[in-house]
Amino acid sequence: MELEDYIAAHIDAEPDVLHALYRRTHLTHLYPRMCSGHVQGRLLKMLTEMIRPSRILELGTFTGYSALCFAEGMPEGCTLDTVELDDEMEPELTALFAASPRASDIRLHIGDALTVVPALPGTWDMVFIDANKRHYRGYLDMVIDRVPAGGFILADNTLWDGHILDDTTCRDAQSRAIAAFNDYVAAHPRLEKVILPVRDGLTIMRVIR
């Protein structure tokens, strides 16, 4: 925790709107740890500014923290499709995004990503996978042909509290799925990849063909 606090104190400040959203998430929602938070949020914004995508796809909106980070870094004309399974989140997310300076560029879709995404048109230059861990491989297979060569796919939580290192703690469905996903990505011939030990692990993949 001391190291995390040190990092947070030596990077760009967390915008007030995101600080308030992070606090509200912890006060009013179950599993608040799913919220990206300060350090990862600044990384997502910077990656977006570096990649300069024209379209972004996010699988797993939760309370909207990461979506606002993408929106903050998006170049003019870029749009974000963000997909959330929990329909009870729709009013809260709709209000949150309506207040964003990029409101007209954020499109919220409620439903199962494996059903919603195939019905959406076009391609995405940047995809963020942060939904049901059991379906990570399915999500990757679903989107890879819709990300042009040179585009990026990010996957969150790929270190999974270190459970992927220990057979004795890698027995539940989510842990096994993350471990299998990491093996799949490591061997994938169409992806350049690196895992960053940021928060709970962030895998960055570049589609090469």
Side-chain angles (χ1 to χ4, degrees):
M1 182 60 71
E2 289 184 6
L3 184 58
E4 292 179 7
D5 291 341
Y6 180 88
I7 293 171
H10 288 79
I11 65 172
D12 289 344
E14 183 180 38
D16 290 343
V17 65
L18 292 177
H19 180 76
L21 175 58
Y22 188 80
R23 184 174 186 276
R24 186 165 66 249
T25 298
H26 279 71
L27 290 174
T28 62
H29 289 274
L30 295 174
Y31 312 114
R33 190 169 176 232
M34 295 194 302
C35 190
S36 290
H38 179 192
V39 175
Q40 187 180 58
R42 294 305 84 198
L43 176 60
L44 294 178
K45 172 187 176 282
M46 184 175 287
L47 287 173
T48 305
E49 291 173 329
M50 292 167 63
I51 295 169
R52 295 190 61 79
S54 59
R55 291 186 76 202
I56 301 172
L57 173 66
E58 176 181 49
L59 308 183
T61 316
F62 191 40
T63 57
Y65 191 105
S66 53
L68 291 186
C69 293
F70 290 124
E72 189 182 352
M74 292 191 311
E76 184 176 355
C78 181
T79 59
L80 167 65
D81 290 297
T82 182
V83 184
E84 172 56 39
L85 176 63
D86 185 356
D87 58 0
E88 293 185 358
M89 291 297 302
E90 185 171 9
E92 180 178 333
L93 290 170
T94 299
L96 178 73
F97 296 150
S100 168
R102 300 300 299 267
S104 62
D105 299 318
I106 303 173
R107 302 161 183 169
L108 174 65
H109 308 273
I110 300 296
D112 186 336
L114 292 171
T115 301
V116 170
V117 173
L120 298 178
T123 60
W124 295 275
D125 310 291
M126 186 175 179
V127 175
F128 184 48
I129 299 174
D130 191 20
N132 190 327
K133 312 311 170 190
R134 297 172 181 84
H135 299 316
Y136 264 33
R137 176 170 175 171
Y139 297 146
L140 177 60
D141 289 341
M142 175 179 68
V143 302
I144 190 169
D145 288 330
R146 299 181 65 180
V147 177
F152 288 82
I153 302 171
L154 315 178
D156 199 14
N157 305 116
T158 50
L159 295 181
W160 204 236
D161 279 335
H163 294 317
I164 40 87
L165 298 175
D166 187 350
D167 288 341
T168 64
T169 59
C170 193
R171 294 177 177 175
D172 64 280
Q174 293 193 102
S175 298
R176 292 197 306 271
I178 289 293
F181 173 78
N182 289 340
D183 291 342
Y184 183 62
V185 170
H188 206 297
R190 296 178 58 193
L191 296 170
E192 294 178 345
K193 73 286 291 186
V194 63
I195 300 177
L196 301 182
V198 176
R199 197 163 163 265
D200 197 24
L202 180 69
T203 299
I204 302 177
M205 296 162 272
R206 180 174 178 269
V207 179
I208 56 177
R209 57 185 173 91

